Amino acid sequence: MKKTFALLLAAGALLSACSNKGGAEVKLDSTTDTVAYIIGMNIGSNLLRMDSTINVAAVCKGIYESTSQRAMFSEEEARTLFLKYVNVTKPEQMKAYENQFLEDIVKSNRSYARTTTGVTYTVDHVGDQNAIPHMDRDTVSVRYLIRTVDGKEVFSSYEKGDTLRCAFGELNKGMKEALRLIGTGGKINAWLPAETAYGAQGDAALGIAPNSTLYYEIELVDMKSGFASTRRKISY
């Protein structure tokens, strides 16, 4: 419902801005006009997905000037500028926002600390310090949950009544770093920067958007060292 409402707002803002630019309220007097309106809806929807803070009036200016052959940029110039925004400017903006968000957590709660990669954590329970996974060949058993910045729970092994058992190397960078801070039987709560979690790809199946900062609660239930199997392989 919230997404639908936001979509309507974006489409409404686009229609309003373009109508004002045109000097009169648009009426749908024909099938062609209706199709044009639907195209506008699609533009509004795509704008919302791309950047909900975008200057809608500037979008309308681009539409009017392009259709009247008075565009400010050539197609090649526009493509270059757009790709720079998508691949450089926008990620830098999101990175800066994420960094400030994590810094504010540490400043507002002294129980939290940050690692050099930005993983922001508080240890709920310290486990056995003699049983900490280090090698990718180590086998770990973990229970964990994931929430987004807005508090939405996107995964919980607790809810499934399940325990994940896998090679340490199969975990994402942030989870590996968090588990190294506790031992078997320990629990840690950590905010993972996007690049240490699902990165620019996100995970559509879990509902994790690209470049998402995520909150994890992780328990290291058990671990088995991969050293013995590695040593046997070398000896052979």
Side-chain angles (χ1 to χ4, degrees):
M1 178 62 74
K2 289 183 179 179
K3 183 176 181 181
T4 301
F5 181 65
L7 177 60
L8 289 173
L9 286 178
L14 180 65
L15 179 61
S16 175
C18 290
S19 295
N20 291 336
K21 185 74 175 179
E25 183 179 351
V26 176
K27 295 182 179 179
L28 307 183
D29 294 328
S30 66
T31 301
T32 303
D33 291 343
T34 300
V35 171
Y37 177 82
I38 293 171
I39 291 173
M41 288 178 61
N42 288 332
I43 292 173
S45 176
N46 289 329
L47 283 176
L48 185 65
R49 294 190 187 96
M50 184 174 66
D51 188 347
S52 61
T53 65
I54 203 163
N55 185 336
V56 178
V59 174
C60 293
K61 179 178 174 67
I63 292 173
Y64 277 103
E65 294 189 354
S66 178
T67 55
S68 60
Q69 303 296 310
R70 293 185 292 111
M72 296 173 63
F73 308 106
S74 67
E75 288 188 8
E76 184 59 30
E77 289 172 333
R79 181 175 182 276
T80 299
L81 290 169
F82 181 77
L83 290 177
K84 180 181 178 181
Y85 172 78
V86 171
N87 297 320
V88 180
T89 305
K90 190 63 177 177
E92 287 179 350
Q93 290 174 344
M94 296 182 71
K95 181 67 176 178
Y97 175 82
E98 178 182 70
N99 186 60
Q100 186 61 57
F101 173 78
L102 296 175
E103 281 187 0
D104 289 344
I105 289 175
V106 175
K107 290 177 181 179
S108 62
N109 190 331
R110 293 185 179 182
S111 68
Y112 276 86
R114 291 186 74 187
T115 68
T116 55
T117 63
V119 172
T120 303
Y121 69 94
T122 179
V123 175
D124 190 57
H125 179 70
V126 178
D128 183 355
Q129 296 299 289
N130 293 315
I132 297 176
H134 291 288
M135 301 172 56
D136 283 349
R137 292 178 64 90
D138 291 344
T139 300
V140 294
S141 297
V142 296
R143 298 192 188 102
Y144 67 105
L145 65 79
I146 309 173
R147 294 193 185 100
T148 57
V149 171
D150 60 4
K152 178 183 178 183
E153 187 175 290
V154 294
F155 178 82
S156 174
S157 63
Y158 299 100
E159 185 176 304
K160 295 176 177 290
D162 200 6
T163 299
L164 172 67
R165 186 175 184 274
C166 66
F168 186 58
E170 294 179 16
L171 300 176
N172 64 42
K173 183 178 179 180
M175 285 188 73
K176 290 167 67 176
E177 188 168 352
L179 288 177
R180 289 192 184 104
L181 297 169
I182 57 174
T184 299
K187 181 178 180 181
I188 188 169
N189 304 325
W191 286 97
L192 305 191
E195 65 182 9
T196 70
Y198 286 86
Q201 293 74 34
D203 189 312
L206 290 178
I208 296 174
N211 299 305
S212 292
T213 310
L214 299 170
Y215 174 80
Y216 278 68
E217 291 181 12
I218 314 169
E219 287 185 71
L220 179 55
V221 179
D222 191 20
M223 69 85 58
K224 295 186 184 302
S225 175
F227 176 73
S229 59
T230 303
R231 184 174 59 185
R232 285 197 298 273
K233 183 177 181 180
I234 294 174
S235 299
Y236 181 81

